[in-house]
Amino acid sequence: MCRTAVALALCGLCSAAPGLRAQAGESADARDQRLLARAESLDAGRQAAHAAAEARYRIGWLAHVVERHGLAIVVPAAAPDSSVRELADSASELLDEFGAIPQSFRASLVVVWPHADTAPVFSAGQYAGRRRVIILSPIVVLGADYSSERPPRSGSMLVGSVAELGRTAAGAVLRSYAKTLDDQWRAWLPDEYGLRSRTAGGEGRPWSMFAPGSSISGRGCLSGKASSCRLWFGLDDDADPYGSRYGAADLRALYQNMWLHNNHRNGRACLAGSDSACVAFAREIGQPLPVPADGGARRSLVRAVHDLRGAPALAAALADTTGSIGQRLARATGVSEDSLVLEWRRLVLGQGSALQSRAGGKEAVPALLFAGVLLLAAAGSGRWH
Amino acid sequence: MFRQILRAQWLAARLAVVILGVLAFAAPLLAVFWGGDLRSAGSDQVAYWLQGSERIAALLPYLALLVGVAAGFLAWSPDHAGRHVYALSLPVSRARFVALRFGAGAVITAVPALALLVGAIVASLSVSLPEGLHAYPAQLTLRFLLASLTLYAIIFALSISTKRAQLLTAGAIGGVILADLLLAAWDVHFSVTAETLVLLTTWPGPLSILAGAWTLFDV
């Protein structure tokens, strides 16, 4: 019995062996082909899915134009509509508050954010002839789920706050307007000139506005000398900006921390103690900037003119092409350049409020009078209690 | 007689005056506690230092208030305790006695002011300021003294006034607050309290000395 079972098992194995041999021989090719076909099928499916996702992705980047209050903004379609409208409102509000740029100029622009496919927008239609103001920073962040059935538009969000992006747009409009002005204004105006400050104020005085270590004119302006303020702001057409606006000691202190002087005869002579060489070296390399006041200070001057004299005065100054910057501001505002810079200084030191006074005779009088009146009242009271 | 009254008032107020004097001396020194070599410092560092100095300076009006209130209350507290028997027994007119008391209290308010002056001078000498920044110890002390004197005069007069006058004063203050509440309830955007404070603290208002620059170091 046992021998029979073993014999039957052996026969079964022998009969199956040819089949196995046949299958092994077949899978070496057919299996490879089968697997290859499967892989190609899967790859085709993956590519189709990727293409569909790409198509949905590209839809998200189609240009979408939002026009609010005369300002046209082109953003990717992926940007949320309500946020873009708020952004446009924010930019328009800032530009309206500034008020020194003609409305017609704003209407001649289109502010364009990157990655938007703008060809259809500018090829024909109402925006065809408009000037493009390109903003280099991104505006949207897409969600990672490209395979979602929903279009990417609903999964995207803005980079940064609406207020900040609105400010970026307004700043771009201002820069574009500055490019239409003459050489003097283009060289003098800083970025975001004239826009309302982000913060209403703060504690402490804007000491850094004057950067007193950098120039003798800055220190003089801080001390209250109008002529120094004019030099510091570069308001006059100085034939020799470096000679008149910087002291040799200031230039020397600056160049000591720079490597540029190593290869310049004037630079080495300046550090060795020659004052004239310092000025000559400054003219040679164009460092520091001819206007000692930095962008923040010049921005605050533009803002001060706007706040103290009104947007029309500032608009008139920007449109003026005759004379120095100081003369243009003086003509437009109706005050002398000295008065203008002293008003600015008072505004900066007082942080927008009236400059706080030091205690003196004028302040002592009301206090002493009041104390005297109270003493009389106390002494004249009718009875003890 | 003034000397005796001054001595009596000093005995009543010495603890409070000494404590406030120490605080007044220390306040300017806090502004320079973290060093004061600013001549070679960058503009950012100077800005931060000035901000710290202004924060310390914001405490000085409250210190002046404390000095004035303490001197004003303590000027009459012994008389209130003794039911004015001592004052009534003196062979001087009420007006002269009140003037002597007032003068003595005014001298006492000068003690914390003097401490502030010493502290401010020490702080000014211990710091090297960059060009464009200055120290104002004398002006700061004068403002402190005048503010203390003004508040002392208010509390002094209220302390010696009749109950009727005190009730009238309290009623006036309460009336102003009530008016504001009523205006707010009717959605009227006008504040009687705010307008009154503006009038009092803007020159030539009697409390204008409390407004203004309290910083020791400034441009």
Side-chain angles (χ1 to χ4, degrees), chain A residues 100 177 180-186 189 312-333:
Chain A
Y177 183 68
T180 66
L181 303 176
D182 71 343
D183 291 344
Q184 287 235 22
W185 275 124
R186 277 206 301 273
L189 284 173
L314 184 58
L318 292 175
D320 195 340
T321 57
T322 312
S324 66
I325 299 293
Q327 288 169 342
R328 299 176 195 193
L329 290 172
R331 270 195 297 272
T333 57

Side-chain angles (χ1 to χ4, degrees), chain B residues 129-153:
Chain B
L129 296 171
E131 192 174 337
L133 268 189
H134 306 278
Y136 299 95
Q139 289 90 336
L140 178 65
T141 305
L142 180 62
R143 183 178 292 282
F144 185 89
L145 180 63
L146 290 172
S148 308
L149 196 63
T150 303
L151 294 162
Y152 161 70

Side-chain angles (χ1 to χ4, degrees), chain A residues 94-95 97-100 167 174 189-197 298-304 306-307 314:
Chain A
L94 284 169
L95 290 171
E97 195 274 338
F98 178 51
R167 192 175 185 88
L174 289 179
L189 284 173
D191 273 348
E192 287 190 9
Y193 61 91
L195 286 185
R196 185 177 59 209
S197 175
R298 283 177 277 141
R299 197 177 304 127
S300 76
L301 179 62
V302 173
R303 193 66 209 176
H306 174 276
D307 292 344
L314 184 58

Side-chain angles (χ1 to χ4, degrees), chain B residues 171-213:
Chain B
I173 295 170
V176 164
I177 295 172
L178 184 63
D180 268 352
L181 289 172
L182 289 172
L183 288 171
W186 290 330
D187 205 24
V188 175
H189 298 291
F190 180 79
S191 171
V192 179
T193 310
E195 291 299 320
T196 308
L197 279 173
V198 167
L199 282 172
L200 289 174
T201 54
T202 308
W203 195 90
L207 300 181
S208 59
I209 194 68
L210 288 169

Side-chain angles (χ1 to χ4, degrees), chain B:
Chain B
M1 187 173 185
F2 177 74
R3 202 178 299 169
Q4 283 76 22
I5 290 176
L6 177 62
R7 187 166 182 274
Q9 258 177 258
W10 170 253
L11 289 174
R14 61 185 171 184
L15 182 62
V17 170
V18 165
I19 291 171
L20 292 170
V22 168
L23 291 174
F25 173 77
L29 298 178
L30 282 175
V32 299
F33 182 75
W34 283 278
D37 183 16
L38 300 173
R39 196 163 281 279
S40 55
S43 54
D44 284 347
Q45 199 175 344
V46 173
Y48 289 136
W49 188 86
L50 277 177
Q51 284 176 14
S53 175
E54 285 199 7
R55 283 198 187 113
I56 302 296
L59 300 174
L60 290 176
Y62 298 101
L63 196 58
L65 173 69
L66 284 174
V67 169
V69 168
F73 274 126
L74 294 170
W76 291 108
S77 57
D79 289 280
H80 289 322
R83 303 177 72 85
H84 299 279
V85 170
Y86 172 69
L88 289 169
S89 65
L90 290 173
V92 292
S93 66
R94 176 192 162 85
R96 186 163 175 237
F97 181 70
V98 169
L100 288 171
R101 273 265 193 240
F102 186 89
V107 169
I108 287 171
T109 60
V111 172
L114 194 64
L116 177 68
L117 178 65
V118 172
I121 290 173
V122 170
S124 304
L125 293 174
S126 67
V127 67
S128 57
L129 296 171
E131 192 174 337
L133 268 189
H134 306 278
Y136 299 95
Q139 289 90 336
L140 178 65
T141 305
L142 180 62
R143 183 178 292 282
F144 185 89
L145 180 63
L146 290 172
S148 308
L149 196 63
T150 303
L151 294 162
Y152 161 70
I154 293 171
I155 303 301
F156 181 92
L158 278 175
S159 294
I160 198 54
S161 61
T162 59
K163 279 207 174 77
R164 187 179 165 200
Q166 289 175 354
L167 283 172
L168 279 174
T169 306
I173 295 170
V176 164
I177 295 172
L178 184 63
D180 268 352
L181 289 172
L182 289 172
L183 288 171
W186 290 330
D187 205 24
V188 175
H189 298 291
F190 180 79
S191 171
V192 179
T193 310
E195 291 299 320
T196 308
L197 279 173
V198 167
L199 282 172
L200 289 174
T201 54
T202 308
W203 195 90
L207 300 181
S208 59
I209 194 68
L210 288 169
W214 282 88
T215 51
L216 175 59
F217 304 103
D218 208 337
V219 293

Side-chain angles (χ1 to χ4, degrees), chain A residues 116-138:
Chain A
D117 181 8
T118 57
V121 172
F122 291 106
S123 59
Q126 65 181 117
Y127 304 111
R130 290 204 193 184
R131 186 201 312 253
R132 300 179 208 187
V133 178
I134 311 289
I135 295 180
L136 298 177
S137 53

